[in-house]
Amino acid sequence: MNLSSVVVLVGIAADGWLIAFMSIRGRRPWLQATFAACALSFLVVGAWSVGRIEGLLSAVDDNLVLGLMLLTHALTAILVLGLIRGAALPRRRAATFLLLAPIPLLAYFAPIEGWTVATAYEGNVLGGFLVVCLGIALGETIYARQASPMFATHAFWLSLGVISLIVAGPIYTYELDFLGRTPLAGANLAAPLALACFARVALQTDPFPISPRPPKGRTTTGGIRAADAIVFDERHPKYALRTAEQEANSGRPTLIVARERAKITTSGVASAAFTPDQHAASRTLTTVSEFLASAPGGFVVLEDLADLSVLSGWRAVLEVVVRLRHVARDSGSTVVLCPSRLTESERKALKGLDLPWWPMADAATEIMAILAQSFGTGAGRLFDSFCRAHGIRRDDVTTDHIQALQDFLSRALTELSGVVGGPAAHGLQVQYEAAASVLRSFASQGAVEIARGKWASRRSSESDVDLVVTAADYWKGKEMEELFAAADAVSEREPLFEKARLVFVEQLGDAGEGVLRMQLARLGKKPEELDRIDLVRIADRATVDLGSLADVVDVPQEKERIQQQIESIRQKLELIAEGEG
Amino acid sequence: MDGRLRALAIRSLFLFLLSLVLVAGFWYHREFYQIGFTNLLIIGGFVTFLVIWAARLAMTGELPRGRPSGELAFTLEEGDRLLKRVARFVVRPSEGLGAPAAGHVVRAKYETGTEFARLLIEDARRAFLSDLTDEDARQAGFRSAADLRDAGTSRWRWHPEDVVTILRVRALGGTR
């Protein structure tokens, strides 16, 4: 057998393997289909070439193979364009298939003009089309290498693939022709190398796994309908996540992309966690792009821009932001960006993009300001008592904790009822009700209202400017000290169930409370009967039960995440139990 | 086997295979090169140039990860901990950090300016200084988060609300 035939046959086997590999590992059906079509056309042309050289397939119509050869070149250009542009312009990727339009025409004229496979790269319209296809692919990769910080590494591999096709295609054909040898009849020896390069890029830019799978189709529901990328400026992305929950509750397909997968929620928010490598930025782009292509009008929160910056570089992240803005506008969707933990220079660069910039209030600061309006300078002490009672840090407090804070204050007042009486008790009750009302009003505000900036902290700082001692401070006397002492006492006697519930909810989301109640039911106890020994037993049982859940998960990252959650629950429950001992 | 010897063996094997491919290529195209001295000079010279270039990159450790970019300065103790693989995390202020993205190699220098290693950045993340955990600190070679904060406070005068970058690194070898 001819050496060229052996090389082409090995290439065919490699092509087949790559098709199977991409079909199994890929996450973008449109790209997998394009890759399979391209690789199959190379495979068939290669098989025909071997058959022709070895004298096995002499009867096959030469025009059919010429058509396939045209396909290989056009599909190569389409595949490369799809890899480079497909993520940013999901709704326009079909336009690249216009490159297939001249093929029937060229196939029609081939027998008339006497074009054959052997003379395909000669200086005629057919040869021109083939060279233009490879030229488009090469030109795009060179442009991407120069212009795109995010895609530069991928562009290198694409260039390698396209150049190898050019060397083993037209250049090798010219060489054989120059030496008076018979050309390879359509086969391209570099096809496996080129396809391997394309597959590498396709897999390195594949979207992250999304779970749970969001509903598909266009949607017009949701509270924030701006078709744009919006920056939610907050120290921790609390309002961004809360808004995502609200949008999902209204039936809008919602996705959170973050360093770590979002906690389990009942609102159906889909989440994707990015892998810690240099391709995180480009994969984030394709993840969001694919999500919004399947659910136009959706809502996406990109939580950890800062982590993307250190993983892929800030220039790549800026490019992702610009492209996401195009995707959002193109699909009528909203993308929320969280600039938490960005450096000052990065924030400045982000502001330079002129994106809608929504300043968000910090829940802890606002709660403190609201409490200060009623309880004066002792608000900090009250708030700290609450945080201590619930085992949370100030930074972790969100508007979701406001109900618990009201309950806490209410219990502190109840504790006081035996000590403070008469007008003082009535005054405290009035103060509490005033604070609770403002707290409720604050908690009910959505991101849009908050972005308008009517915050308690701003109002109080404005009103305090002219007064050294506020009227509220002046009025408050001894009973305030007693309230603080009562709050401290409440923090010590906070029901164990509440503490345990917060641990479960923190790790497992809304479903956490259900898990805790199930464990309680197994023990045959009511929430108020929970003691520290029960807590240890619950920690052990939850470890076993959730551990068996982790065992059936096949995805290593998911398994690791669940195990971390289990470990965290166990440790925190044991800490609470020790604290009670 | 020592890490450096293993790296040398792999690089040498790579070069040997490349040389084999080149010889096979010359043999396969022998008729083409017979057509004239000029062709052989230009094409053969270009291919040989590429081989020498690749060899240079391979021998300096710049293949397959590329040239190192950026640099990180360490105290003698920190550098020692990294080389002995006692520490794997490097915690630095985020503003003005001269480290490349994950998957790239950065030069590790002592504060005196001497390069002592090249570090592969395996992972990176940002955190508020106040959010650093004891586990982060232990991975960075400190006993607790408080120790790490104290060390950083004297060196960079940082505050709890400052943002730091936590790099997970692996030393690739000695100075070249």
Side-chain angles (χ1 to χ4, degrees):
Chain A
M1 186 181 270
N2 191 309
L3 179 63
S4 300
S5 300
V6 174
V7 174
V8 174
L9 277 177
V10 171
I12 288 172
D15 292 347
W17 186 85
L18 283 167
I19 293 171
F21 183 68
M22 270 295 288
S23 306
I24 295 167
R25 293 289 300 274
R27 291 205 187 96
R28 286 176 284 182
W30 65 272
L31 190 63
Q32 287 167 281
T34 312
F35 183 89
C38 184
L40 265 177
S41 60
F42 274 114
L43 192 151
V44 174
V45 171
W48 181 85
S49 173
V50 172
R52 187 74 175 267
I53 293 167
E54 299 301 321
L56 303 172
L57 292 171
S58 52
V60 176
D61 187 359
D62 192 65
N63 287 328
L64 183 67
V65 183
L66 187 67
L68 277 171
M69 199 176 159
L70 285 165
L71 263 183
T72 59
H73 287 67
L75 285 170
T76 298
I78 291 168
L79 182 59
V80 170
L81 284 170
L83 283 165
I84 296 174
R85 307 252 171 215
L89 301 167
R91 295 176 68 204
R92 295 179 203 165
R93 60 176 74 119
T96 58
F97 283 87
L98 287 173
L99 271 173
L100 294 174
I103 291 178
L105 207 64
L106 290 167
Y108 172 76
F109 280 109
I112 300 167
E113 296 291 330
W115 299 331
T116 62
V117 174
T119 60
Y121 290 113
E122 285 185 357
N124 51 39
V125 178
L126 176 75
F129 176 77
L130 297 178
V131 171
V132 162
C133 285
L134 293 177
I136 288 173
L138 185 62
E140 274 294 316
T141 56
I142 292 172
Y143 177 75
R145 174 92 184 153
Q146 297 299 321
S148 167
M150 181 189 71
F151 214 80
T153 314
H154 304 308
F156 167 79
W157 291 104
L158 291 181
S159 312
L160 182 67
V162 177
I163 289 171
S164 65
L165 283 178
I166 293 171
V167 170
I171 292 177
Y172 193 52
T173 304
Y174 292 143
E175 184 189 334
L176 290 174
D177 189 44
F178 186 79
L179 293 170
R181 297 277 196 88
T182 313
L184 276 176
N188 192 312
L189 293 175
L193 173 65
L195 290 172
C197 290
F198 300 157
R200 179 192 165 99
V201 174
L203 293 178
Q204 283 182 339
T205 55
D206 246 354
F208 300 119
I210 294 175
S211 69
R213 298 301 303 175
K216 293 185 176 181
R218 177 169 286 281
T219 179
T220 52
T221 57
I224 300 174
R225 290 305 316 172
D228 208 340
I230 304 168
V231 180
F232 273 31
D233 189 7
E234 48 187 338
R235 183 173 155 86
H236 293 282
K238 295 173 187 172
Y239 273 99
L241 300 180
R242 184 183 166 201
T243 309
E245 291 270 341
Q246 288 169 344
E247 295 293 310
N249 279 327
S250 71
R252 191 176 187 185
T254 303
L255 171 70
I256 297 172
V257 185
R259 170 84 186 219
E260 287 171 2
R261 194 173 284 280
K263 295 180 179 77
I264 302 162
T265 61
T266 51
S267 56
V269 178
S271 73
F274 52 76
T275 48
D277 60 35
Q278 60 177 312
H279 308 300
S282 54
R283 294 188 69 184
T284 297
L285 173 65
T286 50
T287 304
V288 177
S289 174
E290 292 296 316
F291 173 78
L292 294 179
S294 67
F299 187 85
V300 177
V301 173
L302 186 47
E303 193 182 335
D304 291 317
L305 268 185
D307 279 0
L308 276 186
S309 174
V310 284
L311 286 170
S312 304
W314 176 242
R315 289 176 63 216
V317 173
L318 270 188
E319 187 182 341
V320 168
V321 170
V322 171
R323 291 193 182 204
L324 280 180
R325 186 175 209 188
H326 290 304
V327 172
R329 287 176 171 177
D330 196 41
S331 60
S333 310
T334 309
V335 175
V336 169
L337 306 166
C338 303
S340 172
R341 290 170 287 125
L342 287 184
T343 62
E344 275 309 309
S345 52
E346 289 168 346
R347 288 173 67 88
K348 200 174 167 187
L350 192 62
K351 280 183 176 169
L353 295 179
D354 285 333
L355 300 169
W357 196 280
W358 291 13
M360 292 287 143
D362 177 62
T365 310
E366 296 316 304
I367 290 170
M368 284 272 291
I370 292 166
L371 291 178
Q373 285 169 2
S374 287
F375 301 108
T377 50
R381 198 170 149 191
L382 271 180
F383 190 51
D384 285 341
S385 297
F386 167 74
C387 291
R388 207 165 41 248
H390 287 78
I392 49 175
R393 301 180 315 162
R394 272 194 185 197
D395 276 353
D396 297 333
V397 172
T398 67
T399 47
D400 294 338
H401 290 104
I402 283 180
Q403 184 55 51
L405 175 64
Q406 282 178 233
D407 296 343
F408 175 84
L409 291 175
S410 172
R411 277 199 295 277
L413 284 178
T414 310
E415 293 286 325
L416 266 178
S417 59
V419 183
V420 181
H426 177 70
L428 277 177
Q429 186 65 34
V430 170
Q431 283 174 306
Y432 161 71
E433 278 166 12
S437 167
V438 183
L439 282 171
R440 276 195 299 273
S441 162
F442 170 63
S444 67
Q445 287 182 30
V448 179
E449 294 83 35
I450 289 291
R452 289 188 187 130
K454 290 175 183 171
W455 309 341
S457 61
R458 287 183 176 174
R459 281 199 297 269
S460 60
S461 63
E462 285 161 13
S463 62
D464 286 351
V465 170
D466 301 327
L467 295 170
V468 178
V469 180
T470 63
D473 277 336
Y474 180 78
W475 185 84
K476 281 156 209 136
K478 192 183 165 203
E479 69 277 8
M480 291 307 298
E481 275 305 316
E482 285 160 350
L483 176 64
F484 302 146
D488 285 339
V490 167
S491 80
E492 286 160 14
R493 287 199 300 276
E494 184 72 5
L496 273 179
F497 176 79
E498 184 57 22
K499 290 181 180 178
R501 190 189 72 82
L502 279 170
V503 169
F504 274 89
V505 171
E506 186 185 72
Q507 293 300 321
L508 304 176
D510 299 341
E513 185 169 345
V515 175
L516 175 62
R517 286 188 184 279
M518 189 180 73
Q519 294 292 344
L520 268 181
R522 280 178 164 194
L523 291 174
K525 290 213 168 184
K526 290 178 183 171
E528 57 271 22
E529 294 169 355
L530 196 66
D531 61 26
R532 58 179 291 272
I533 297 165
D534 296 331
L535 218 51
V536 175
R537 288 168 69 189
I538 286 176
D540 292 340
R541 286 189 177 203
T543 305
V544 174
D545 290 355
L546 295 171
S548 56
L549 175 71
D551 288 341
V552 297
V553 176
D554 288 333
V555 185
Q557 296 96 326
E558 276 299 288
K559 192 173 221 163
E560 191 182 342
R561 182 180 65 86
I562 296 173
Q563 280 165 348
Q564 280 174 356
Q565 286 175 326
I566 296 167
E567 186 56 23
S568 185
I569 289 173
R570 195 183 60 77
Q571 284 178 353
K572 287 186 175 177
L573 288 182
E574 285 177 357
L575 271 176
I576 294 172
E578 281 171 22
E580 292 291 314
Chain B
M1 196 192 294
D2 179 57
R4 284 193 207 181
L5 278 177
R6 189 167 59 235
L8 182 66
I10 291 169
R11 286 173 198 157
S12 303
L13 180 67
F14 167 72
L15 279 180
F16 179 68
L17 290 175
L18 197 64
S19 307
L20 288 186
V21 171
L22 271 177
V23 173
F26 280 122
W27 181 82
Y28 188 73
H29 295 92
R30 62 193 179 281
E31 289 181 37
F32 181 72
Y33 298 133
Q34 279 171 6
I35 60 169
F37 174 69
T38 313
N39 280 331
L40 184 62
L41 199 65
I42 294 170
I43 299 170
F46 182 66
V47 173
T48 311
F49 162 74
L50 288 180
V51 172
I52 294 170
W53 196 22
R56 188 186 137 269
L57 293 175
M59 297 314 290
T60 53
E62 290 171 16
L63 277 180
R65 303 190 189 282
R67 302 169 71 90
S69 58
E71 57 184 53
L72 292 171
F74 296 89
T75 60
L76 281 172
E77 294 80 19
E78 275 184 316
D80 199 36
R81 282 198 290 256
L82 281 175
L83 289 178
K84 287 181 178 169
R85 306 198 176 185
V86 176
R88 294 196 69 194
F89 282 13
V90 176
V91 182
R92 289 287 183 275
S94 294
E95 193 68 66
L97 182 68
H104 289 81
V105 178
V106 63
R107 288 188 185 86
K109 292 184 171 183
Y110 289 121
E111 286 172 334
T112 52
T114 314
E115 181 180 331
F116 66 90
R118 290 182 181 187
L119 305 174
L120 171 67
I121 298 177
E122 294 181 325
D123 191 3
R125 64 188 166 89
R126 292 247 181 96
F128 288 109
L129 190 59
S130 52
D131 289 343
L132 281 180
T133 62
D134 285 343
E135 181 56 27
D136 291 333
R138 274 193 289 276
Q139 294 274 5
F142 293 85
R143 276 180 299 185
S144 66
D147 280 357
L148 172 58
R149 283 189 206 108
D150 289 346
T153 304
S154 59
R155 199 166 164 191
W156 294 292
R157 275 176 264 158
W158 57 22
H159 306 284
E161 67 273 16
D162 285 352
V163 176
V164 290
T165 298
I166 303 161
L167 304 168
R168 194 180 76 212
V169 298
R170 179 161 56 88
L172 291 177
T175 310
R176 288 169 183 87

